[in-house]
Amino acid sequence: MACSVIERSMEAMLLLLFFLNHFTEVAGDVGTAASYDPPYLPTKCPDYSSLDQLPETGLFVAAGSGVWDNGAACGRKYQVRCLSGLRRPCKDGSIIVEVVDYCRSSPCPATFLLSNKAFGAVSRIPNAKINIEFTEV
């Protein structure tokens, strides 16, 4: 009898490990986001010196110091998803944004400052500060 209880416990443990390994997503980093208004030029990233060089989708960000990496963040793309904020601002889903600038405020008020279009894609409330999950893609 003791053997069958131990065997069942082992089977349950193995099944749990299987599901955790195969059916959970790896979470990204957690940070904050706010919106920033035009003009979006000039930027600190050298490849974005004119409006036609900004992403056509309008989904771009200025990176805070924690992501900036002395300019190495320029051109990086991140998947961003709203997690929470005051008055439940989050929209469902996620977006892909591109780093085109360094946060102009010191200290930067957020991990990322999203273009107005990018912010509107993840938040129902303009000019809010939201908590986000982000992953480099």
Side-chain angles (χ1 to χ4, degrees):
M1 179 110 157
C3 201
S4 69
V5 170
I6 292 172
E7 288 175 355
R8 286 184 191 154
S9 295
M10 291 294 287
E11 287 175 0
M13 182 79 77
L14 289 172
L15 187 60
L16 177 64
L17 288 173
F18 173 81
F19 280 108
L20 288 175
N21 191 36
H22 287 50
F23 296 107
T24 57
E25 293 183 35
V26 175
D29 292 315
V30 175
T32 57
S35 64
Y36 77 117
D37 296 322
Y40 297 121
L41 297 175
T43 76
K44 297 282 185 182
C45 293
D47 292 337
Y48 303 96
S49 58
S50 65
L51 286 176
D52 63 333
Q53 292 175 314
L54 294 175
E56 290 179 22
T57 62
L59 304 178
F60 53 87
V61 300
S65 58
V67 176
W68 180 242
D69 195 17
N70 291 320
C74 290
R76 286 184 188 156
K77 294 183 180 181
Y78 291 89
Q79 183 171 5
V80 174
R81 178 174 69 97
C82 181
L83 296 175
S84 65
L86 294 177
R87 299 185 322 238
R88 298 182 178 163
C90 297
K91 292 182 178 179
D92 290 334
S94 62
I95 59 172
I96 305 293
V97 295
E98 188 171 337
V99 176
V100 301
D101 201 359
Y102 180 58
C103 180
R104 299 172 191 175
S105 302
S106 182
C108 189
T111 308
F112 289 114
L113 296 181
L114 281 66
S115 66
N116 287 335
K117 186 168 184 179
F119 197 81
V122 295
S123 175
R124 291 180 183 87
I125 302 172
N127 302 320
K129 187 172 182 179
I130 60 174
N131 299 307
I132 59 168
E133 175 184 50
F134 63 98
T135 307
E136 188 174 356
V137 293

